[in-house]
Amino acid sequence: SAQIADLQQKLLDADNGDRAKQRWDSIATILEAKCALKYLLGELVSSKVQESKLQSSLQQSQANYSDVQKVLMEERNNIAELEAEFQNQILVQEQQHQEKV
């Protein structure tokens, strides 16, 4: 029964693919061509709108990435300064300790 169900699904998939092709192949009148063209143009507009939204989202993400990268660099520089200051304080403490000894 599993094999039968699998074969039936394959037949349905093949039939759906053939039907779509047959629809385009069977356009015979100007009215049908107009309808098909109208549908295709609608899909094109929809795709262009979606592309524009994705492009805008990409640009926003790139700007956010740039901002985060700047903050990261500032924080790294800040850490480096704090580390240098800490090392300097350690050196001063060691010198004071040596003087006391």
Side-chain angles (χ1 to χ4, degrees), residues 63-76:
N64 289 343
Y65 172 75
S66 179
D67 292 343
V68 167
Q69 201 170 22
K70 286 178 186 176
V71 169
L72 179 63
M73 289 303 296
E74 289 173 0
E75 290 301 319
R76 283 182 178 169

Side-chain angles (χ1 to χ4, degrees), residues 5-19:
D6 187 42
L7 289 172
Q8 286 174 338
Q9 185 61 42
K10 286 181 181 178
L11 283 173
L12 286 174
D13 291 343
D15 189 37
N16 286 340
D18 289 342
R19 253 190 237 158

Side-chain angles (χ1 to χ4, degrees), residues 3-63:
Q3 288 177 339
I4 290 171
D6 187 42
L7 289 172
Q8 286 174 338
Q9 185 61 42
K10 286 181 181 178
L11 283 173
L12 286 174
D13 291 343
D15 189 37
N16 286 340
D18 289 342
R19 253 190 237 158
K21 186 178 179 190
Q22 285 175 354
R23 282 185 191 152
W24 292 110
D25 290 342
S26 68
I27 292 177
T29 66
I30 296 293
L31 183 61
E32 289 175 342
K34 278 182 166 180
C35 289
L37 189 56
K38 189 174 184 178
Y39 171 77
L40 289 175
L41 288 175
E43 289 296 311
L44 177 65
V45 168
S46 175
S47 296
K48 287 290 186 176
V49 168
Q50 187 176 7
E51 178 193 15
S52 176
K53 287 179 182 177
L54 289 172
Q55 190 70 25
S56 176
S57 175
L58 174 64
Q59 289 173 349
Q60 183 66 36
S61 294
Q62 286 174 335

Side-chain angles (χ1 to χ4, degrees), residues 89-101:
Q89 287 178 356
I90 289 175
L91 185 61
V92 167
Q93 291 291 327
E94 286 178 354
Q95 288 174 352
Q96 288 176 352
H97 178 69
Q98 289 296 328
E99 290 174 1
K100 284 181 183 179
V101 170

